[in-house]
Amino acid sequence: MGLLIRSYQFFSLQLLLLHSLSYAKHCPREQSSALIQFKQLFSFDEDSSFVCQRSYPKMISWKKDTNCCSWDGVTCDMATGNVISLDLSCSWLHGNIPTNTSLFHLLHLQTLNLSHNDFDYSEISSGFSRFRNLTHFSLSDSNINCKIPYEISFLKMSTVVLDSLKNLSSSLTSLSLSDCILQGNFPINIFHLPNPQMIRLSQNPSLAGKFPANNWTSPIEYLDVSETSFSELPDSIGNLKLLGRLMLGYSQFVGPVPASLGNLTQLTLLHLMHNNFSGHIPSSLSNLVQLTYLDLSSNSFFGEIPDIFNLTQVSFFDLSNNQLAGPIPSHGSRLQNLVLIRLNNNSFSGTIPSWLFSLPLLEYVRLSDNQLSGHIDEFPSKSLQNIYLSNNRLQGSIPSSIFELVNLTDLQLDSNNFSGIAEPYMFAKLIKLKYLYLSHNSLSLGNTFKIDSPFPKFSYLSLSACNISAFPRFLRTQDELSYLDLSENKIDGQIPSWISEIGKDSLSYVNLSHNFITKMKQIPWKNLGYLDLRSNLLQGPLPVPPSSLRVLLISNNQFTGEIIHSICDIIALDVLDLSNNRLNGTIPECIGNFSPSLSVLDLRNNRLNGSIPGTFAESNWLRSLNLNNNELGGAIPQSLVNCTKVEVLDIGNIKINDAFPYWLGNLPELQVLVLRSNKFHGSVREFEPKESFPKLRILDLSINNFSGYLPERFLENLNAMRNVSADEGKLRYLGEEYYQDSVVVTLKGTEIEMQKILTVFTTIDFSSNGFDGEISQVIGKLHSLRLLNLSHNHFTGQIPSSLGNLAKLESLDLSSNNVAGKIPKPLTSLTSLSVLNLSHNRLDGPIPHGPQFNTFQEDSYIGNLGLCGFPLTKKCGNDEAPTTFHEEDEEAESSSSWFDW
């Protein structure tokens, strides 16, 4: 957007200068007529120029039989009256430019700016090459189709299109085809234009291939190919010696940055951000002594920062979101023109060098999300406005000089080890301060405050885990607050009545969770969008929420009574978590269709009765439904089939009396299905392939009355359990930033709550049912399975040897069945197995030896009278000592188990 605006300003400045000379003569009649004909091609639609800050339909002023030199956007030559400039940028134009348009009759044009309109995928015509006097030409962001007919290959497509432009005047210095739907390889013929100085091809994501490697000799000063799909930057880029601005951001470049960039000594601006560049930042960039703007952010650079702090003209310096490490260089005091520096989201360590806060023009410092440690020196620079030091290891007290920075608007020190007492009066001089983040330190917030003294009017205030024992009194002055976080403190008692004056009209986010608050009579903020009251001591009926809420989290309290029907008046609600309270009564029927945006409904661990509402509407956005541990009964409502976006469905530990809901297999996104501890009965019937639970990763049917064989086709269709995820090594969890799904699993007979569900965790629990027959060999195809529990059933036959294929398996429980025969030797290859229970079966023969098997104790095998060998006291005929297994090996094997995650 910034580039578009700057380009618009560039053209507008030239046109403004020319416009003052435009009234000397009348334009020729044929040129006036050509413009009127061109006007008739278009309708005017404000949305066609929506990117423009100020726009209007310039052609509205064009009237037939009037002097076109006076028309808006038209500039004429003072001596001849010929139209020499046409600026229709941001003019609401919507329509098609035909190949024989009357525009091509204006042969004296020097500047043509048609950017920021909607030309409805018109193709660039070869007629543009008739403008032999053209010096500046822009079609940026104009919905122009720069490709030629489909039959021509992509390579020729770009070439031919721009061949049609290469006959333009040798004086052409500016060519802009941004957002022009260019396709194919780089349009190399652009560099055959005799005299290009400014070339913009940005916002053409289909423009791909290798950036051309040739001996460029063009006098280009401005090159913008950002937001394209080029993949490699050649060394020959260093030949463009006159280049002053190079913009390659938001593209697909990979590999190292050529050291030849250091040859571009005229560069003042270098944009490489948001690519896949890797390797070290080349030290040759230190040659770019005229550079004022350097952005290498959001790549994969690693290593230390090279010696590039001699770039004394730099005002903008951004290396954020890389993999850089080591200390911040100690010699940066020469950066006297630096206004902004971003080094956040790297792995920098060591202390913050003192020069960083002493530069005379420095306004913005972002060092958050690193591993910086030690104390912070004082802040002699009075120009500082934004300081971001969050998520480091900084310690000591907050420097007193911070409280003298009268221009400071944003101070973020959260998630460090700062200590001491931060009294509100210390911030009194910072009257411009709007954003204050002190959460998660070793700080204590005092309460010394004079209500009649000057004080900042905060917009964002984050004071989580600041040892606060009561609502701070200075909040009474905060009538402009929009964000308030007082979570994880020691606030107790009733919420005071004056709290309603805090951000009365502005407050949109409130987090008071994890305190000791006992009572809240009402929720007073009419524009509140997010309210978190989790883990307090709140009791009594639920407070009436405002209709503006999008997120309501009040779990882990002592609320009683029924779910109030006014909740169904919150038509934009996204997350509703009322879990772990003492709510009773029925679930309101409206709960399934009151909010089209509802994605999370969590009512578990209450005392709700009746049945599950059958009102889930079509095209709803429900992602997670958890009703576990209530007193609900009846059958599963068929309207759940409308929840096509649901990922987590937990209706365990209630009183559902129904057959297996095979039709839930049609839910395309379902990953977690918990039906445990109900009254389900009958067989898990075979179903058609279309009912296949394609993404199911957690399936818990335990403690029901299911019977019969395990259907093989059902198991074969569990595709998400068959394939090992490509994200196997990444810690990603189901849920949103402010709500994490959880699930209960059974391990060694004990129920354990996983408070976060790792997206690669897979489990099958069919325990405590009446399943019989042999255990299917098909289970051995579920290669991503981590927990398998078939205990307390009536399975017979032998343990399938195919279970040895479950390389990810960490817990296997086949106890309390009628399984016979020997323990298959392939099970010893399960090096991730940390829990094994084969007890109370009819197994016989020697217990096999193996790295994991040598760690299991006797209780894994009790109740199998025919077994012998270690760890049992019963010896086999040729019993051997188990393979030596070191404790450190056991630790290594179990270090990445699901339980650790």
Side-chain angles (χ1 to χ4, degrees):
M1 179 69 72
L3 294 176
L4 295 176
I5 293 172
R6 284 195 295 275
S7 176
Y8 172 63
Q9 292 172 339
F10 174 76
F11 281 106
S12 297
L13 179 60
Q14 298 181 62
L15 298 174
L16 182 63
L17 294 173
L18 291 171
H19 197 66
S20 63
L21 306 176
S22 63
Y23 297 110
K25 278 199 172 187
H26 285 261
C27 68
R29 182 182 298 274
E30 66 275 10
Q31 295 184 29
S32 175
S33 176
L35 288 171
I36 290 295
Q37 291 180 46
F38 188 60
K39 172 185 177 181
Q40 292 169 351
L41 296 173
F42 306 106
S43 60
F44 302 114
D45 183 354
E46 185 176 3
D47 290 339
S48 297
S49 303
F50 74 96
V51 299
C52 303
Q53 291 182 330
R54 295 183 180 88
S55 64
Y56 61 95
K58 298 177 182 178
M59 282 183 169
I60 289 292
S61 68
W62 294 10
K63 304 296 182 185
K64 190 176 181 180
D65 298 326
T66 61
N67 182 13
C68 74
C69 295
S70 65
W71 294 352
D72 205 350
V74 178
T75 302
C76 298
D77 183 272
M78 183 175 60
T80 65
N82 290 321
V83 177
I84 59 173
S85 176
L86 185 60
D87 179 13
L88 294 178
S89 60
C90 298
S91 294
W92 300 14
L93 301 184
H94 180 267
N96 201 276
I97 301 179
T99 56
N100 60 347
T101 174
S102 60
L103 177 67
F104 299 143
H105 297 163
L106 304 176
L107 300 181
H108 300 279
L109 275 181
Q110 299 174 21
T111 297
L112 178 59
N113 189 355
L114 300 177
S115 61
H116 314 314
N117 290 291
D118 183 1
F119 294 128
D120 198 22
Y121 297 96
S122 300
E123 292 184 0
I124 285 187
S125 168
S126 59
F128 283 103
S129 63
R130 298 180 64 185
F131 297 133
R132 298 302 180 89
N133 298 308
L134 206 61
T135 60
H136 296 86
F137 179 40
S138 178
L139 288 170
S140 293
D141 187 38
S142 55
N143 210 7
I144 279 281
N145 189 341
C146 299
K147 62 182 181 179
I148 62 172
Y150 177 79
E151 291 77 15
I152 300 177
S153 70
F154 283 166
L155 175 62
K156 194 173 182 182
M157 188 179 299
S158 294
T159 304
V160 172
V161 168
L162 291 161
D163 272 346
S164 69
L165 299 177
K166 99 175 169 180
N167 294 323
L168 291 169
S169 165
S170 61
S171 60
L172 181 68
T173 60
S174 175
L175 176 63
S176 180
L177 299 176
S178 295
D179 194 15
C180 193
I181 322 176
L182 283 167
Q183 297 192 29
N185 291 338
F186 192 93
I188 189 66
N189 287 334
I190 279 182
F191 296 102
H192 295 161
L193 292 170
N195 206 26
Q197 295 176 13
M198 172 181 168
I199 293 177
R200 294 187 57 217
L201 303 175
S202 60
Q203 296 175 277
N204 284 292
S206 295
L207 200 57
K210 185 177 179 181
F211 206 75
N214 72 321
N215 296 320
W216 290 330
T217 57
S218 300
I220 301 174
E221 298 177 7
Y222 184 117
L223 177 60
D224 182 0
V225 292
S226 55
E227 297 183 62
T228 58
S229 297
F230 294 123
S231 58
E232 187 176 341
L233 190 64
D235 287 337
S236 56
I237 189 71
N239 295 338
L240 299 176
K241 299 294 181 63
L242 298 180
L243 204 58
R245 293 190 169 200
L246 177 60
M247 285 166 279
L248 310 177
Y250 296 92
S251 295
Q252 304 294 326
F253 288 104
V254 298
V257 171
S260 63
L261 274 185
N263 298 335
L264 307 181
T265 55
Q266 302 301 309
L267 271 184
T268 61
L269 183 147
L270 179 59
H271 279 180
L272 304 182
M273 68 281 196
H274 289 271
N275 278 285
N276 296 306
F277 285 119
S278 58
H280 294 271
I281 297 174
S283 58
S284 61
L285 297 188
S286 62
N287 298 333
L288 309 181
V289 293
Q290 298 191 43
L291 206 61
T292 62
Y293 197 110
L294 176 64
D295 193 340
L296 308 182
S297 63
S298 299
N299 281 284
S300 298
F301 293 117
F302 57 81
E304 297 188 2
I305 300 178
D307 188 12
I308 55 176
F309 282 92
N310 63 326
L311 305 178
T312 58
Q313 301 302 312
V314 165
S315 62
F316 185 103
F317 191 94
D318 193 347
L319 303 181
S320 62
N321 296 296
N322 279 287
Q323 301 167 25
L324 299 167
I328 298 174
S330 58
H331 51 286
S333 58
R334 296 179 61 191
L335 302 177
Q336 295 293 296
N337 292 300
L338 194 64
V339 175
L340 179 149
I341 183 168
R342 290 195 190 111
L343 302 177
N344 54 291
N345 286 93
N346 281 287
S347 298
F348 292 117
S349 57
T351 59
I352 299 176
S354 58
W355 63 263
L356 197 54
F357 297 117
S358 61
L359 300 175
L361 302 179
L362 192 62
E363 297 177 0
Y364 185 109
V365 177
R366 194 170 199 126
L367 306 179
S368 49
D369 298 290
N370 279 289
Q371 300 173 23
L372 299 169
S373 58
H375 295 251
I376 302 178
D377 290 337
E378 296 297 333
F379 290 67
S381 175
K382 302 301 182 185
S383 60
L384 284 165
Q385 298 178 17
N386 305 83
I387 300 174
Y388 303 90
L389 303 178
S390 305
N391 291 301
N392 279 287
R393 301 171 183 173
L394 301 168
Q395 60 190 43
S397 58
I398 299 174
S400 59
S401 56
I402 280 186
F403 305 110
E404 302 293 328
L405 301 177
V406 295
N407 293 313
L408 199 62
T409 62
D410 198 334
L411 178 61
Q412 299 191 17
L413 305 178
D414 51 303
S415 299
N416 280 286
N417 295 313
F418 290 114
S419 57
I421 298 176
E423 292 286 0
Y425 73 84
M426 299 165 67
F427 297 90
K429 293 182 180 179
L430 307 180
I431 58 174
K432 295 183 180 180
L433 193 62
K434 294 294 183 183
Y435 302 87
L436 178 62
Y437 292 73
L438 299 179
S439 298
H440 300 288
N441 280 285
S442 298
L443 290 167
S444 295
L445 186 73
N447 215 8
T448 306
F449 172 68
K450 295 179 181 180
I451 202 165
D452 57 347
S453 62
F455 203 74
K457 294 284 189 178
F458 295 113
S459 295
Y460 277 62
L461 189 58
S462 180
L463 301 175
S464 178
C466 284
N467 294 307
I468 301 172
S469 57
F471 285 95
R473 286 185 295 166
F474 75 88
L475 290 178
R476 303 184 73 164
T477 68
Q478 300 302 312
D479 54 1
E480 298 177 6
L481 201 63
S482 62
Y483 179 104
L484 176 63
D485 186 355
L486 296 175
S487 62
E488 300 181 50
N489 280 294
K490 303 173 182 177
I491 302 172
D492 59 7
Q494 181 175 321
I495 295 178
S497 58
W498 56 260
I499 202 84
S500 62
E501 298 301 316
I502 300 175
K504 189 172 184 178
D505 298 319
S506 58
L507 202 60
S508 62
Y509 179 104
V510 173
N511 189 347
L512 303 177
S513 65
H514 297 87
N515 278 286
F516 303 98
I517 301 170
T518 57
K519 192 172 184 181
M520 185 177 195
K521 292 182 179 179
Q522 61 177 355
I523 302 172
W525 303 287
K526 62 182 180 181
N527 294 316
L528 196 63
Y530 180 105
L531 178 61
D532 190 349
L533 298 174
R534 289 176 293 179
S535 300
N536 276 284
L537 303 175
L538 291 161
Q539 49 192 304
L542 292 174
V544 178
S547 59
S548 58
L549 270 181
R550 298 189 65 89
V551 176
L552 178 59
L553 308 172
I554 55 178
S555 62
N556 295 292
N557 279 286
Q558 300 171 23
F559 285 113
T560 55
E562 298 185 354
I563 297 175
I564 52 179
H565 283 259
S566 59
I567 278 183
C568 294
D569 296 331
I570 314 175
I571 58 174
L573 196 64
D574 182 20
V575 176
L576 177 61
D577 183 359
L578 308 180
S579 63
N580 295 290
N581 279 285
R582 300 174 183 175
L583 300 172
N584 54 34
T586 60
I587 300 174
E589 282 293 317
C590 62
I591 208 78
N593 62 6
F594 73 98
S595 171
S597 61
L598 188 68
S599 65
V600 173
L601 178 60
D602 191 347
L603 304 178
R604 64 191 146 131
N605 297 327
N606 278 287
R607 300 170 183 174
L608 300 168
N609 54 49
S611 59
I612 301 173
T615 55
F616 293 97
E618 292 185 7
S619 303
N620 67 72
W621 285 80
L622 198 63
R623 188 198 60 77
S624 178
L625 175 62
N626 197 329
L627 304 176
N628 195 299
N629 195 24
N630 278 284
E631 299 174 10
L632 300 165
I636 298 179
Q638 289 276 342
S639 65
L640 279 176
V641 78
N642 294 326
C643 303
T644 56
K645 293 180 173 59
V646 75
E647 297 175 359
V648 177
L649 180 58
D650 189 342
I651 48 179
N653 294 287
I654 49 181
K655 298 178 180 179
I656 296 293
N657 190 344
D658 202 351
F660 181 74
Y662 64 91
W663 43 270
L664 291 178
N666 290 320
L667 297 176
E669 303 298 327
L670 188 63
Q671 299 185 46
V672 178
L673 177 60
V674 177
L675 304 180
R676 69 180 288 132
S677 193
N678 277 285
K679 299 179 181 179
F680 286 100
H681 52 81
S683 65
V684 180
R685 55 169 282 186
E686 302 267 4
F687 17 102
E688 298 299 323
K690 64 181 181 180
E691 300 159 340
S692 62
F693 294 95
K695 292 188 178 181
L696 198 63
R697 304 191 65 85
I698 296 177
L699 177 60
D700 189 349
L701 308 183
S702 63
I703 319 178
N704 278 288
N705 297 315
F706 289 117
S707 59
Y709 293 174
L710 291 183
E712 291 194 351
R713 192 193 305 178
F714 170 65
L715 296 171
E716 286 180 338
N717 286 333
L718 298 176
N719 290 330
M721 298 189 190
R722 289 169 61 93
N723 305 316
V724 177
S725 172
D727 294 334
E728 193 71 28
K730 299 177 182 178
L731 294 182
R732 296 178 180 172
Y733 301 95
L734 287 178
E736 291 84 14
E737 178 182 356
Y738 39 79
Y739 177 87
Q740 295 288 341
D741 293 289
S742 62
V743 69
V744 172
V745 297
T746 301
L747 186 68
K748 291 186 176 181
T750 302
E751 293 184 356
I752 298 174
E753 181 179 8
M754 296 178 66
Q755 295 185 350
K756 294 182 180 181
I757 304 176
L758 197 67
T759 54
V760 297
F761 178 65
T762 53
T763 175
I764 288 179
D765 191 345
F766 291 168
S767 63
S768 300
N769 278 285
F771 290 114
D772 54 27
E774 294 188 359
I775 299 173
S776 174
Q777 291 275 358
V778 173
I779 293 179
K781 297 181 180 180
L782 306 180
H783 299 293
S784 67
L785 199 61
R786 293 181 181 273
L787 186 153
L788 177 62
N789 190 347
L790 303 180
S791 66
H792 295 87
N793 279 285
H794 307 303
F795 289 115
T796 58
Q798 297 183 333
I799 299 174
S801 59
S802 66
L803 296 186
N805 298 326
L806 304 180
K808 301 292 182 181
L809 197 66
E810 299 173 22
S811 175
L812 175 62
D813 191 346
L814 304 180
S815 63
S816 299
N817 280 286
N818 294 310
V819 179
K822 292 180 170 52
I823 300 173
K825 185 69 174 176
L827 294 186
T828 61
S829 65
L830 300 179
T831 56
S832 296
L833 196 65
S834 57
V835 175
L836 176 67
N837 191 350
L838 304 179
S839 63
H840 301 290
N841 279 286
R842 297 190 299 162
L843 299 169
D844 57 39
I847 297 172
H849 297 162
Q852 292 301 104
F853 267 69
N854 295 345
T855 68
F856 300 134
Q857 303 301 311
E858 185 176 356
D859 59 358
S860 293
Y861 309 104
I862 60 173
N864 291 279
L865 300 181
L867 286 177
C868 60
F870 180 84
L872 302 178
T873 56
K874 182 180 178 181
K875 303 296 183 182
C876 299
N878 296 316
D879 208 10
E880 299 177 2
T883 304
T884 303
F885 191 75
H886 299 288
E887 184 177 345
E888 58 267 28
D889 296 329
E890 180 179 4
E891 181 179 344
E893 290 290 348
S894 62
S895 61
S896 61
S897 73
W898 67 268
F899 190 74
D900 292 328
W901 291 338

